[in-house]
Amino acid sequence: TLQSIQQSKEKNIDNSSNELEEENLELRQAIHHLTAENNAAREIKSLVVELREKNVELAESLRASRDQKRVALSCIEDLKAENEFLRSELDNMQKRVCSNAYDEQDRRFGGTSEYSKFDNDD
């Protein structure tokens, strides 16, 4: 009958409405979940970008540090060579001073200084 058909249609509409409400709730939950995942992905992307920038900075700093180290090592080698040269010069100067003092003493005392006795031991 017409009334039972009408009731049947109303039940179908109610069932469809309930199904749509459940589906709507599921979709909202999915949207909420995806939004949270999207926000997390954005945070991760931001961290990755920041880490890449820091990596570039550290790589540049490391390169500069290596360059400074090479320059410092070169300076150290130059200073070692100069130090060796100056030690040699100082040693030569000390020998000349001692020799001059010996010669002066020999001249003053007519070759009779106590150092002159070593001259004949060759």
Side-chain angles (χ1 to χ4, degrees):
T1 68
L2 192 54
Q3 191 175 10
S4 65
I5 293 174
Q6 187 67 25
Q7 285 177 346
S8 178
K9 283 183 180 182
E10 285 176 10
K11 279 186 182 179
N12 285 340
I13 291 173
D14 284 343
N15 287 339
S16 291
S17 177
N18 287 340
E19 287 175 9
L20 286 175
E21 283 180 22
E22 286 178 25
E23 195 175 317
N24 190 11
L25 179 61
E26 289 174 9
L27 288 173
R28 284 185 183 169
Q29 289 173 342
I31 288 170
H32 178 72
H33 178 73
L34 292 173
T35 300
E37 283 187 4
N38 191 32
N39 290 337
R42 283 184 181 154
E43 276 187 52
I44 291 170
K45 182 180 178 182
S46 173
L47 290 172
V48 167
V49 167
E50 185 178 324
L51 288 173
R52 283 183 181 161
E53 289 171 355
K54 289 206 182 278
N55 190 37
V56 167
E57 289 174 15
L58 288 172
E60 289 173 3
S61 176
L62 180 61
R63 182 193 51 75
S65 178
R66 286 180 178 159
D67 289 345
Q68 288 175 347
K69 182 180 177 183
R70 277 192 286 275
V71 168
L73 288 175
S74 177
C75 287
I76 288 170
E77 290 303 315
D78 291 346
L79 290 171
K80 283 181 179 179
E82 185 177 351
N83 191 28
E84 188 61 34
F85 172 77
L86 291 173
R87 282 179 192 228
S88 175
E89 286 293 307
L90 180 61
D91 189 42
N92 289 337
M93 288 175 73
Q94 286 174 338
K95 286 178 184 176
R96 281 193 302 263
V97 167
C98 286
S99 177
N100 288 343
Y102 170 75
D103 290 346
E104 179 64 23
Q105 191 173 13
D106 229 19
R107 185 184 60 75
R108 281 187 184 170
F109 298 105
T112 60
S113 75
E114 65 180 75
Y115 297 111
S116 63
K117 63 183 170 187
F118 297 113
D119 288 343
N120 297 329
D121 290 346
D122 292 335

